[in-house]
Amino acid sequence: MTDLIHVDHVTKVFRRGSEVVHALEDIDLQLEGGEIAALVGPSGSGKTTLLYLLSGWETADTGRVHWNVAGGDPADAPWGRLALVPQSLGLAEELTVRENVELPLRLKGELDAGSARVTELMSRLDLEALADRYPLETSLGEQQRVAVARALVLSPDLLLADEPTSHQDDSRAAAVFALIGELAGAGSCCVVATHDRDIARYVDRVIEMRDGRIDEARRGQAARGDRALWGPPPS
Ligand code: ADP
Ligand code: MG
Protein backbone atom coordinates (compact mmCIF):
# COMPACT_ATOMS: atom_id res chain seq x y z
CA MET A 1 0.00 0.00 0.00
CA THR A 2 1.22 3.47 -0.78
CA ASP A 3 0.79 6.30 1.69
CA LEU A 4 -2.66 7.77 1.61
CA ILE A 5 -1.67 10.80 3.66
CA HIS A 6 1.62 12.38 4.53
CA VAL A 7 1.62 14.96 7.31
CA ASP A 8 4.80 16.95 6.90
CA HIS A 9 6.03 19.02 9.88
CA VAL A 10 2.63 20.48 10.64
CA THR A 11 2.08 23.17 13.25
CA LYS A 12 -1.23 24.70 14.30
CA VAL A 13 -1.61 27.61 16.70
CA PHE A 14 -4.87 29.07 17.98
CA ARG A 15 -4.87 32.69 19.11
CA ARG A 16 -7.63 34.32 21.10
CA GLY A 17 -6.63 37.79 22.21
CA SER A 18 -3.39 37.42 24.12
CA GLU A 19 -3.89 33.70 24.62
CA VAL A 20 -1.82 31.45 22.35
CA VAL A 21 -2.48 27.70 22.21
CA HIS A 22 0.02 25.50 20.40
CA ALA A 23 -2.52 22.86 19.42
CA LEU A 24 -0.12 20.94 17.13
CA GLU A 25 3.66 21.16 17.13
CA ASP A 26 5.80 19.67 14.38
CA ILE A 27 3.60 16.70 13.58
CA ASP A 28 5.06 14.17 11.16
CA LEU A 29 2.87 11.26 10.24
CA GLN A 30 2.23 8.83 7.43
CA LEU A 31 -1.02 6.97 7.06
CA GLU A 32 -1.66 4.07 4.71
CA GLY A 33 -4.69 2.44 3.22
CA GLY A 34 -5.74 -0.71 5.03
CA GLU A 35 -4.77 0.40 8.52
CA ILE A 36 -6.67 1.47 11.61
CA ALA A 37 -4.75 4.05 13.60
CA ALA A 38 -5.83 5.29 17.02
CA LEU A 39 -4.94 8.82 18.07
CA VAL A 40 -4.72 8.43 21.82
CA GLY A 41 -4.10 11.17 24.32
CA PRO A 42 -5.62 13.22 27.10
CA SER A 43 -8.23 15.89 26.53
CA GLY A 44 -6.63 18.94 24.94
CA SER A 45 -3.69 17.02 23.46
CA GLY A 46 -4.62 17.93 19.86
CA LYS A 47 -6.53 14.89 18.59
CA THR A 48 -9.51 16.76 17.17
CA THR A 49 -7.31 19.46 15.65
CA LEU A 50 -5.24 16.80 13.88
CA LEU A 51 -8.38 15.06 12.56
CA TYR A 52 -9.65 18.38 11.21
CA LEU A 53 -6.32 18.98 9.48
CA LEU A 54 -6.44 15.49 7.96
CA SER A 55 -9.96 16.22 6.70
CA GLY A 56 -9.01 19.55 5.18
CA TRP A 57 -11.48 21.32 7.48
CA GLU A 58 -8.60 23.23 9.08
CA THR A 59 -5.37 24.28 7.42
CA ALA A 60 -1.90 24.07 8.91
CA ASP A 61 0.00 27.22 9.93
CA THR A 62 3.28 25.68 8.83
CA GLY A 63 3.97 22.38 7.12
CA ARG A 64 1.56 20.53 4.87
CA VAL A 65 -0.87 17.68 4.74
CA HIS A 66 -0.42 15.84 1.44
CA TRP A 67 -3.34 13.75 0.39
CA ASN A 68 -2.74 11.09 -2.23
CA VAL A 69 -5.35 12.42 -4.63
CA ALA A 70 -5.02 14.52 -7.77
CA GLY A 71 -4.10 17.98 -6.50
CA GLY A 72 -2.82 16.62 -3.19
CA ASP A 73 -5.42 18.40 -1.11
CA PRO A 74 -8.32 16.75 0.72
CA ALA A 75 -10.60 19.42 -0.75
CA ASP A 76 -9.83 17.89 -4.17
CA ALA A 77 -10.96 14.43 -3.11
CA PRO A 78 -13.99 13.18 -5.01
CA TRP A 79 -17.20 13.19 -3.02
CA GLY A 80 -17.44 10.27 -0.67
CA ARG A 81 -13.75 9.36 -0.50
CA LEU A 82 -13.45 10.99 2.90
CA ALA A 83 -15.90 10.76 5.78
CA LEU A 84 -15.86 12.29 9.23
CA VAL A 85 -17.60 11.30 12.43
CA PRO A 86 -17.36 14.61 14.30
CA GLN A 87 -17.45 14.63 18.08
CA SER A 88 -20.53 16.87 17.85
CA LEU A 89 -22.10 14.31 15.44
CA GLY A 90 -23.64 16.93 13.15
CA LEU A 91 -26.86 15.10 12.34
CA ALA A 92 -29.58 16.86 10.35
CA GLU A 93 -32.41 17.35 12.86
CA GLU A 94 -35.08 17.67 10.18
CA LEU A 95 -34.23 14.28 8.68
CA THR A 96 -35.16 10.93 10.19
CA VAL A 97 -32.53 8.47 11.38
CA ARG A 98 -32.71 6.52 8.11
CA GLU A 99 -32.63 9.70 6.02
CA ASN A 100 -29.52 10.85 7.89
CA VAL A 101 -27.78 7.57 7.08
CA GLU A 102 -28.92 7.86 3.44
CA LEU A 103 -27.85 11.47 3.02
CA PRO A 104 -24.37 10.83 1.49
CA LEU A 105 -25.95 8.39 -0.99
CA ARG A 106 -28.63 10.93 -1.90
CA LEU A 107 -26.02 13.65 -2.46
CA LYS A 108 -24.05 11.27 -4.64
CA GLY A 109 -27.15 10.24 -6.60
CA GLU A 110 -26.83 6.60 -5.51
CA LEU A 111 -29.75 6.24 -3.15
CA ASP A 112 -31.24 3.16 -4.80
CA ALA A 113 -27.94 1.38 -5.32
CA GLY A 114 -27.01 1.91 -1.67
CA SER A 115 -30.23 0.95 0.03
CA ALA A 116 -29.04 -2.54 0.93
CA ARG A 117 -25.94 -1.02 2.56
CA VAL A 118 -28.14 1.36 4.57
CA THR A 119 -30.24 -1.54 5.79
CA GLU A 120 -27.14 -3.56 6.70
CA LEU A 121 -25.56 -0.69 8.65
CA MET A 122 -28.80 0.08 10.47
CA SER A 123 -29.13 -3.56 11.47
CA ARG A 124 -25.51 -3.99 12.56
CA LEU A 125 -25.66 -0.76 14.59
CA ASP A 126 -29.00 -1.62 16.15
CA LEU A 127 -30.81 1.33 14.59
CA GLU A 128 -33.60 -0.44 12.69
CA ALA A 129 -36.30 0.26 15.26
CA LEU A 130 -35.42 3.97 15.19
CA ALA A 131 -35.48 4.41 11.41
CA ASP A 132 -38.42 6.82 11.32
CA ARG A 133 -37.54 8.82 14.42
CA TYR A 134 -35.85 12.19 14.32
CA PRO A 135 -32.44 12.50 15.99
CA LEU A 136 -33.83 14.51 18.91
CA GLU A 137 -36.17 11.59 19.66
CA THR A 138 -33.20 9.27 20.22
CA SER A 139 -30.47 8.93 22.84
CA LEU A 140 -27.01 10.40 22.44
CA GLY A 141 -25.56 6.92 21.99
CA GLU A 142 -28.08 6.20 19.23
CA GLN A 143 -27.29 9.52 17.54
CA GLN A 144 -23.62 8.62 17.65
CA ARG A 145 -24.30 5.31 15.87
CA VAL A 146 -26.31 7.19 13.23
CA ALA A 147 -23.27 9.42 12.63
CA VAL A 148 -21.10 6.31 12.32
CA ALA A 149 -23.51 4.69 9.85
CA ARG A 150 -23.68 7.88 7.79
CA ALA A 151 -19.86 7.99 7.61
CA LEU A 152 -19.63 4.35 6.51
CA VAL A 153 -22.41 4.29 3.94
CA LEU A 154 -20.17 5.26 1.00
CA SER A 155 -17.23 3.12 2.25
CA PRO A 156 -14.78 6.06 2.21
CA ASP A 157 -11.08 5.64 1.47
CA LEU A 158 -10.37 7.71 4.57
CA LEU A 159 -12.52 7.54 7.68
CA LEU A 160 -11.81 10.09 10.41
CA ALA A 161 -13.74 9.34 13.59
CA ASP A 162 -13.59 11.53 16.68
CA GLU A 163 -14.29 9.45 19.80
CA PRO A 164 -16.88 7.41 17.86
CA THR A 165 -17.62 5.04 20.74
CA SER A 166 -17.63 7.54 23.61
CA HIS A 167 -21.35 6.94 24.26
CA GLN A 168 -21.44 3.18 23.51
CA ASP A 169 -21.52 0.11 25.71
CA ASP A 170 -18.96 -2.62 25.05
CA SER A 171 -21.07 -4.61 22.61
CA ARG A 172 -22.06 -1.56 20.54
CA ALA A 173 -18.45 -0.36 20.55
CA ALA A 174 -17.44 -3.80 19.25
CA ALA A 175 -20.06 -3.50 16.49
CA VAL A 176 -18.67 -0.09 15.50
CA PHE A 177 -15.12 -1.43 15.39
CA ALA A 178 -16.18 -4.55 13.49
CA LEU A 179 -17.47 -2.25 10.73
CA ILE A 180 -14.34 -0.10 10.87
CA GLY A 181 -12.25 -3.29 10.67
CA GLU A 182 -14.10 -4.39 7.55
CA LEU A 183 -13.57 -0.98 5.94
CA ALA A 184 -9.84 -1.20 6.67
CA GLY A 185 -9.84 -4.79 5.42
CA ALA A 186 -11.14 -3.49 2.09
CA GLY A 187 -8.18 -1.07 1.89
CA SER A 188 -9.40 2.11 3.54
CA CYS A 189 -7.48 4.07 6.13
CA CYS A 190 -9.31 4.64 9.41
CA VAL A 191 -8.15 7.13 12.03
CA VAL A 192 -9.93 7.03 15.36
CA ALA A 193 -9.33 9.62 18.05
CA THR A 194 -9.95 8.41 21.57
CA HIS A 195 -8.85 8.89 25.15
CA ASP A 196 -9.85 5.28 25.84
CA ARG A 197 -6.78 3.06 25.96
CA ASP A 198 -8.94 -0.08 25.73
CA ILE A 199 -9.55 0.87 22.10
CA ALA A 200 -6.00 -0.27 21.41
CA ARG A 201 -7.19 -3.85 21.08
CA TYR A 202 -9.17 -2.95 17.97
CA VAL A 203 -6.46 -1.07 16.08
CA ASP A 204 -3.26 -1.72 14.14
CA ARG A 205 -1.38 1.27 15.36
CA VAL A 206 -1.49 3.58 18.38
CA ILE A 207 -0.32 7.15 17.90
CA GLU A 208 0.22 8.78 21.28
CA MET A 209 -0.48 12.50 21.49
CA ARG A 210 0.58 14.81 24.28
CA ASP A 211 0.57 18.62 24.32
CA GLY A 212 0.20 18.83 20.55
CA ARG A 213 3.04 16.43 19.81
CA ILE A 214 3.26 12.81 18.84
CA ASP A 215 5.00 11.08 21.70
CA GLU A 216 8.59 10.74 20.49
CA ALA A 217 9.41 7.67 22.52
CA ARG A 218 6.64 5.70 20.92
CA ARG A 219 6.84 7.03 17.41
CA GLY A 220 7.06 4.26 14.88
CA GLN A 221 6.41 1.52 17.40
CA ALA A 222 3.10 0.34 16.06
CA ALA A 223 1.14 -1.54 18.67
CA ARG A 224 -0.30 -4.30 16.58
CA GLY A 225 -3.80 -5.08 17.73
CA ASP A 226 -5.01 -8.66 17.53
CA ARG A 227 -8.01 -8.38 15.27
CA ALA A 228 -8.81 -12.02 15.92
CA LEU A 229 -9.94 -10.88 19.36
CA TRP A 230 -13.18 -9.56 18.01
CA GLY A 231 -13.64 -11.96 15.11
CA PRO A 232 -16.26 -11.77 12.39
CA PRO A 233 -19.36 -9.67 12.88
CA PRO A 234 -22.48 -11.44 14.15
CA SER A 235 -24.58 -12.66 11.23
P1 ADP B 1 -8.40 16.98 21.99
O1 ADP B 1 -9.29 16.63 20.85
O2 ADP B 1 -7.21 16.07 22.13
O3 ADP B 1 -9.15 17.09 23.27
P2 ADP B 1 -8.17 19.55 20.66
O4 ADP B 1 -7.51 19.28 19.36
O5 ADP B 1 -9.64 19.76 20.65
O6 ADP B 1 -7.78 18.41 21.71
O7 ADP B 1 -7.52 20.86 21.31
C1 ADP B 1 -6.11 21.04 21.42
C2 ADP B 1 -5.85 22.37 22.07
O8 ADP B 1 -6.25 23.42 21.20
C3 ADP B 1 -6.64 22.59 23.37
O9 ADP B 1 -5.83 23.32 24.25
C4 ADP B 1 -7.83 23.41 22.91
O10 ADP B 1 -8.33 24.20 23.95
C5 ADP B 1 -7.22 24.24 21.81
N1 ADP B 1 -8.20 24.63 20.77
C6 ADP B 1 -8.88 23.78 19.93
N2 ADP B 1 -9.65 24.47 19.07
C7 ADP B 1 -9.50 25.77 19.39
C8 ADP B 1 -10.03 27.00 18.86
N3 ADP B 1 -10.87 27.00 17.82
N4 ADP B 1 -9.62 28.17 19.44
C9 ADP B 1 -8.74 28.16 20.46
N5 ADP B 1 -8.19 27.05 20.98
C10 ADP B 1 -8.56 25.88 20.47
MG1 MG C 1 -11.30 16.16 20.83
Side-chain angles (χ1 to χ4, degrees):
M1 279 286 170
T2 52
D3 284 354
L4 185 63
I5 295 180
H6 180 193
V7 180
D8 187 13
H9 293 288
V10 155
T11 299
K12 181 77 185 174
V13 178
F14 291 110
R15 287 192 176 79
R16 300 185 70 230
S18 60
E19 190 191 1
V20 178
V21 179
H22 294 267
L24 296 177
E25 294 203 63
D26 201 26
I27 299 283
D28 253 333
L29 184 62
Q30 268 144 52
L31 294 163
E32 294 175 6
E35 71 177 357
I36 308 175
L39 290 181
V40 180
S43 179
S45 57
K47 304 182 296 295
T48 295
T49 305
L50 182 52
L51 282 187
Y52 280 166
L53 276 157
L54 293 175
S55 75
W57 194 277
E58 292 265 20
T59 51
D61 292 331
T62 62
R64 250 206 84 180
V65 178
H66 300 270
W67 230 79
N68 194 3
V69 291
D73 189 293
D76 298 325
W79 172 256
R81 285 197 63 191
L82 181 155
L84 184 65
V85 182
Q87 213 163 0
S88 55
L89 306 180
L91 299 181
E93 288 176 12
E94 70 282 11
L95 299 181
T96 64
V97 160
R98 188 174 175 106
E99 287 166 344
N100 266 281
V101 178
E102 289 172 340
L103 186 59
L105 288 165
R106 192 180 287 279
L107 293 171
K108 206 179 175 205
E110 293 182 359
L111 190 54
D112 290 342
S115 85
R117 175 70 171 158
V118 173
T119 301
E120 184 207 356
L121 287 168
M122 304 248 321
S123 159
R124 301 258 311 262
L125 293 170
D126 209 4
L127 295 169
E128 282 166 313
L130 311 172
D132 296 326
R133 288 202 210 170
Y134 291 92
L136 293 177
E137 298 168 339
T138 65
S139 74
L140 191 53
E142 290 160 351
Q143 290 170 35
Q144 187 172 48
R145 299 203 300 283
V146 176
V148 169
R150 181 187 56 187
L152 291 171
V153 75
L154 289 178
S155 301
D157 292 339
L158 175 62
L159 174 73
L160 303 169
D162 205 349
E163 318 240 7
T165 56
S166 55
H167 301 291
Q168 305 305 320
D169 56 48
D170 288 349
S171 89
R172 265 68 170 261
V176 168
F177 273 100
L179 287 164
I180 291 174
E182 288 168 28
L183 186 69
S188 299
C189 174
C190 303
V191 185
V192 181
T194 179
H195 56 255
D196 179 2
R197 301 192 148 274
D198 289 348
I199 293 297
R201 71 180 189 271
Y202 295 117
V203 306
D204 299 310
R205 185 173 165 195
V206 175
I207 299 162
E208 295 263 353
M209 293 199 71
R210 187 165 298 274
D211 296 334
R213 292 181 182 274
I214 292 176
D215 195 326
E216 295 285 343
R218 290 171 186 263
R219 185 182 286 180
Q221 291 178 20
R224 282 270 146 193
D226 183 359
R227 290 200 195 170
L229 265 178
W230 39 283
S235 51

